[in-house]
Amino acid sequence: MARPERRTMRDVRRNNQAMLLRTLYFAGPASRLELTGLTGLSAATVSSMTGDLLGENIIIGAGQVDSDGGRPRALLRVNPLYGYAIGVDVSETHVRVELFDLAMHERAKVEYVLRPARHDPELVARHILAGVDVVLSDAGVPPEQVLGVGVGVPGIVERGDGGLIHARSFGWDGVPLAALLRAGTSLPLHVENGAKAMAQAELWFGSGRGTGNAVIVLIGAGVGATVVAEGATLHGVTRSAGEWGHTKIVVGGRPCRCGGRGCLEAYIGAEAILERAGAPTHTAGWQEELAGVLASDSPVVAETLTYLGVGLANLINLLNPEQIVVGGWVGHLLGERLLPAVRAAVAENSLAQPYAATSIVLGNLGPDAVALGAATLVLEEFLSAAPAARMTAAV
Amino acid sequence: MARPERRTMRDVRRNNQAMLLRTLYFAGPASRLELTGLTGLSAATVSSMTGDLLGENIIIGAGQVDSDGGRPRALLRVNPLYGYAIGVDVSETHVRVELFDLAMHERAKVEYVLRPARHDPELVARHILAGVDVVLSDAGVPPEQVLGVGVGVPGIVERGDGGLIHARSFGWDGVPLAALLRAGTSLPLHVENGAKAMAQAELWFGSGRGTGNAVIVLIGAGVGATVVAEGATLHGVTRSAGEWGHTKIVVGGRPCRCGGRGCLEAYIGAEAILERAGAPTHTAGWQEELAGVLASDSPVVAETLTYLGVGLANLINLLNPEQIVVGGWVGHLLGERLLPAVRAAVAENSLAQPYAATSIVLGNLGPDAVALGAATLVLEEFLSAAPAARMTAAV
């Protein structure tokens, strides 16, 4: 049971206004009449709220449709140029900065390559700040039109204003990235784990769309999972939920870079697969190297499928999701060729009843969805806040 | 982000009314003035709603307190005798039926022993129906005063009216227990997995009280877990979430009665511990037998702690809970003597950051909390429904 919560009439109006905006965003263009049907709001409320949103240029006209015998009806939609969102993907190999309009169309993009072991926080922050300037200038967008900057990073992002980041693969232990960025920009910032940001994009625009109970797994150099339960993302008490890669599947098994043994990541992460195949890791061409291993008849392929099957089956047995979306570059390499074999390995290791309820699909935003996911954090804020409140704050 | 949801003024009143009742239940006795502070509702609303609830005898006076210089203030509380809840614990060894008043005080109790492998659904249903008659007659409570019967069963309970039960340990595969019971009683029924029912009781009245992110684990003959995220219990898409006992911790390891290999239950379930110690299982005295093993210096004890540590660490890494409550009869045997050693094994197998955020405690309702948990399902319904709607339905 949810905790007691009081709702005032003002909350009701705000809630309804945000709902109207979300409905127009995801289901629009729509006429006022269609909006009353989609939202359950009265015609008078829809008329008053759309009037406000039109006045603020947040929504715009989108042509007309004929109505039976009556006047043609005006269609409305969210104004894709009302504002912009910047998404940043900080990974082991690069810092990528992308500018999106509110329809999440990419308007500009820049990438900085990180040399191995050059993950100095100040350097990463400088790349991000420079990238923000570059994409805005390339697209001719003034900073005032940017609603915020979303940054996807590896590791655990602590809750709270500090947003300290713990990313072992970077050697980051409590890095205040948001504070470093605030020294160079006054744009609203949203720092989040990259896997969770990508999961958000898959949930809204990709394979997970419309699913209330899902797990989005990211398999790359690192391995993580985002759990969505009853429509809400599970963050955990200190926002570190999702460390699926460090759940143990072999007590006392292979050593993992986390310091533990037998972690799932030590079997299905990029490094682990290459090591078990006797191939070099962390080279410039390791993505091609890994693709080669997975396309071969090496016994490592079958082993990897078994380990992945166990890892996914554990999620199914514990969480009973409707859908599992497999993403990340290793996930895509595995899934594109071997999804039926992955499914078979999962079936062998999960209980029949929850297995039957779960579909396992490949993320359809591709392996590079972290920047889009990070920008989605900005969009989420835009669609959640009551427009009136937001406008006041923005002035 | 939660899905769009429309709230009408009537919803607001219902929501507030249910909140007022829950507040009085968990925080009462309280005066009307205190209730305005606790709920945030206006004095006029509190006065009108408490008037309605008093009129229906759902709440009653509970004495007075002096107020500074003014008239003494009347205290209110939920009427513990407004109605009764019956809780049923169906386990491998018995069917136990208990009658509770709304303060969750036990008023009567009866137990039927099940012989091994005598888990015929009709027999279980007959025991439950007989037990309901016995506790009502023992306590002198007429059936009209019973708000419902909660039944905790092993295994997976399917969502929906049928409420089919899949319990491998019983040989139940799609048993329509609710339908069997409906043939013999017209009381409202709530059938739920016993581990989840117990978890509900620990969350409301036991060790988990006040925790929004928690996992309640049950370790007995079977092994399960209930995940609570942001205050809500995670059920999964077909209500089978929580099969923690069948997550794999040793790929290709010990065979489990589910047909798989390397399941956590195959290492820490009652049967598994006894088998590994070379002791007989499923005897009349196996609880004493197991207590003896765990009190000995057998290497099985240390092994069991390691396996349990890995199982709990996997929950911490994946879900980042604030608290883990260990329950069930094996859980109590392990925890009462060995909790510090359990904690050490967890620390060794989890990431430092989420481990530091989690407290691991023993359930304080004891190993027999399933019947209380099942009765709590009835209480939950009572406290969730708007009293006006409930009263109409009851007529």
Side-chain angles (χ1 to χ4, degrees), chain A residues 1 4 6-7 9 19 22 40 237-240 242-243 246-249 251 314 317-318 320 349 384, chain B residues 1 4 6-7 9 19 22 40 237-240 242-243 246-249 251 314 317-318 320 349 384:
Chain A
M1 187 189 295
R6 179 190 172 218
R7 289 186 182 267
M9 302 305 119
M19 176 183 62
R22 287 202 297 276
V237 66
T238 53
R239 295 190 77 81
S240 84
E243 293 289 346
H246 300 292
T247 60
K248 270 73 178 159
I249 58 164
V251 169
N314 283 355
N317 287 344
L318 184 64
N320 183 211
N349 290 287
S384 299
Chain B
M1 186 191 294
R6 178 190 173 218
R7 289 188 181 267
M9 303 304 120
M19 178 184 61
R22 287 202 296 276
V237 67
T238 53
R239 296 189 78 82
S240 84
E243 293 289 346
H246 301 291
T247 59
K248 269 74 180 160
I249 58 163
V251 170
N314 284 354
N317 287 344
L318 184 65
N320 183 210
N349 289 287
S384 299

Side-chain angles (χ1 to χ4, degrees), chain B residues 294-295 301-302 305 332-344:
Chain B
L294 293 177
V301 179
L305 289 173
H332 278 268
L333 281 176
L334 277 163
E336 273 151 24
R337 293 174 42 84
L338 303 166
L339 202 55
V342 171
R343 290 202 185 99

Side-chain angles (χ1 to χ4, degrees), chain B residues 3-323:
Chain B
R3 274 174 251 181
E5 202 181 324
R6 178 190 173 218
R7 289 188 181 267
T8 64
M9 303 304 120
R10 195 167 161 224
D11 292 335
V12 170
R13 186 173 163 88
R14 281 195 177 187
N15 193 39
N16 286 340
Q17 201 167 19
M19 178 184 61
L20 184 78
L21 191 60
R22 287 202 296 276
T23 305
L24 259 185
Y25 188 84
F26 289 110
S31 69
R32 289 176 181 78
L33 185 69
E34 286 169 325
L35 284 172
T36 62
L38 288 166
T39 61
L41 296 171
S42 71
T45 303
V46 167
S47 170
S48 142
M49 285 181 178
T50 53
D52 290 352
L53 292 167
L54 281 163
E56 291 172 10
N57 205 30
I58 292 171
I59 65 174
I60 54 177
Q64 299 195 320
V65 279
D66 285 341
S67 68
D68 304 342
R71 283 189 306 171
R73 291 204 198 95
L75 293 175
L76 301 169
R77 64 171 173 141
V78 173
N79 178 1
L81 303 184
Y82 172 74
Y84 296 82
I86 292 174
V88 180
D89 172 11
V90 178
S91 82
E92 297 193 23
T93 52
H94 59 256
V95 172
R96 187 182 294 141
V97 181
E98 300 183 31
L99 176 73
F100 298 90
D101 61 30
L102 283 187
M104 290 291 122
H105 292 134
E106 191 180 279
R107 312 289 290 216
K109 163 181 186 170
V110 63
E111 184 172 312
Y112 303 91
V113 173
L114 292 176
R115 271 172 296 162
R118 285 303 304 272
H119 299 116
D120 172 47
E122 278 80 15
L123 176 66
V124 169
R126 276 200 305 278
H127 282 329
I128 295 173
L129 292 169
V132 168
D133 287 345
V134 168
V135 293
L136 291 180
S137 129
D138 280 3
V141 168
E144 309 84 76
Q145 284 195 268
V146 176
L147 298 170
V149 180
V151 183
V153 296
I156 294 171
V157 180
E158 274 186 32
R159 199 195 296 258
D161 238 24
L164 299 182
I165 301 167
H166 306 269
R168 195 179 284 261
S169 57
F170 274 33
W172 287 14
D173 185 15
V175 165
L177 184 64
L180 294 174
L181 292 172
R182 274 201 204 96
T185 181
S186 56
L187 292 170
L189 295 171
H190 307 262
V191 181
E192 180 59 282
N193 173 276
K196 284 191 196 152
M198 189 209 70
Q200 177 80 318
E202 284 287 355
L203 278 172
W204 279 20
F205 305 108
S207 299
R209 199 163 172 177
T211 324
N213 287 277
V215 185
I216 292 91
V217 304
L218 182 98
I219 312 172
V223 172
T226 298
V227 177
V228 178
E230 322 293 335
T233 300
L234 192 154
H235 293 292
V237 67
T238 53
R239 296 189 78 82
S240 84
E243 293 289 346
W244 178 56
H246 301 291
T247 59
K248 269 74 180 160
I249 58 163
V250 183
V251 170
R254 290 193 93 222
C256 178
R257 57 181 175 169
C258 78
R261 282 187 164 273
C263 296
L264 181 62
E265 187 172 303
Y267 294 91
I268 68 165
E271 212 174 285
I273 299 174
L274 287 170
E275 278 173 10
R276 287 191 291 115
T281 63
H282 292 286
T283 58
W286 74 327
Q287 304 211 0
E288 290 70 33
E289 189 84 42
L290 185 60
V293 169
L294 293 177
S296 75
D297 56 2
S298 158
V300 167
V301 179
E303 279 168 38
T304 302
L305 289 173
T306 297
Y307 295 125
L308 175 59
V310 165
L312 295 176
N314 284 354
L315 295 173
I316 288 175
N317 287 344
L318 184 65
L319 302 169
N320 183 210
E322 188 176 0
Q323 187 167 63

